[in-house]
Structures are given as structure tokens and as C-alpha cells.
Amino acid sequence: MPPALKATLVAEILASYVTARWMMARREIRDIVLTTRSRLDQAPPAPGAPDTTVTAARLGYAVTRTLRKLPTDSRCLVQALVLSRMLSERGIPSTLIIGARSQPEFEAHAWVEHGGRPVLSPAGFDESRLVEL
């Protein structure tokens, strides 16, 4: 990817990150996802757009890689909200999933799927789904 496009993508990820963090302090997760999805109806995929599965996977990789390198909150829920927003802006439907388990101690994890396939890692929680948004 050319450096100019990479810089544009990083800027978009950071802008989505700032929006997600701002919304997390003011709204419930379900409302944040619904607000993000409202953009989905307004942004259908462009004619001749690359395969949405490939695009979703590449964006998932870029979000994870970018947020982990920066001194930001890069927890799974933040990554999932950022990716969900970016996919919606491209007209790509996705599902934000939250899973949890209580043994040996309580743990929770959030990830994003597109077409039933993870684009952010379920990290072993795929059998422990609690909520799909």
C-alpha cells in the first residue's frame, strides 16, 4: 500500500477511535452500534468494489495493528467498535459479538464478524457468545 494511502487509513482509524471512545463515555454499547449501523443504509458498496470479505479482513488487520502500536486504549471492545464503524461507512454489514466465560475466572471478549466469519479474532470465545449486535 502506498504511504499516502496508509497514512489516510491510519487517520481514519484514529478518527473512528476518538468517536468510539467519546461515545463509550456517554452511551450504552447497543446504542453505539445502532448509531454506527445507521450509516450502513446511506453507504452501499460502490459498483465494482473489491470483495467485501477481503476488505473486511484487511480493515480488521489494519485496526488491530494500528491501535496496538499507539498509546491508546486498544482493548477488544474498542477495536470492535472502530472496525464496525469503518465497515458500516463502506456499506459492509458486520456483527459485533461479545462473549464471556466464568471459569477459571471471569473473562469477556468482543470481536467482529462479516458473513459469519471473524474479521477480528474471537480469541477462543467463539463458543461463549452472549450478545450479537
Side-chain angles (χ1 to χ4, degrees):
M1 177 181 285
L5 285 177
K6 198 177 275 191
T8 301
L9 182 58
V10 168
E12 181 183 358
I13 291 168
L14 293 177
S16 293
Y17 168 81
V18 169
T19 301
R21 292 293 299 153
W22 183 86
M23 291 176 90
M24 286 175 71
R26 291 161 179 76
R27 297 182 180 177
E28 293 182 15
I29 297 302
R30 189 175 306 275
D31 293 335
I32 296 170
V33 173
L34 288 174
T35 300
T36 299
R37 296 276 162 67
S38 68
R39 298 169 170 264
L40 192 56
D41 295 334
Q42 302 167 9
D51 179 35
T52 58
T53 303
V54 172
T55 301
R58 287 181 177 168
L59 284 174
Y61 178 77
V63 166
T64 300
R65 199 157 171 207
T66 300
L67 293 181
R68 283 190 180 161
K69 288 185 176 184
L70 299 174
T72 60
D73 179 359
S74 63
R75 291 177 290 180
C76 57
L77 180 58
V78 174
Q79 288 182 30
L81 289 170
V82 168
L83 179 58
S84 184
R85 178 181 189 84
M86 292 177 69
L87 291 171
S88 292
E89 288 177 350
R90 286 166 172 77
I92 301 172
S94 64
T95 304
L96 189 146
I97 301 165
I98 299 174
R101 55 183 171 226
S102 59
Q103 298 296 326
E105 59 186 61
F106 181 80
E107 294 178 287
H109 182 63
W111 70 96
V112 174
E113 291 183 356
H114 168 66
R117 299 178 69 192
V119 289
L120 284 180
S121 172
F125 283 81
D126 40 350
E127 299 297 322
S128 307
R129 294 168 182 251
L130 286 179
V131 177
E132 294 186 18
L133 305 169

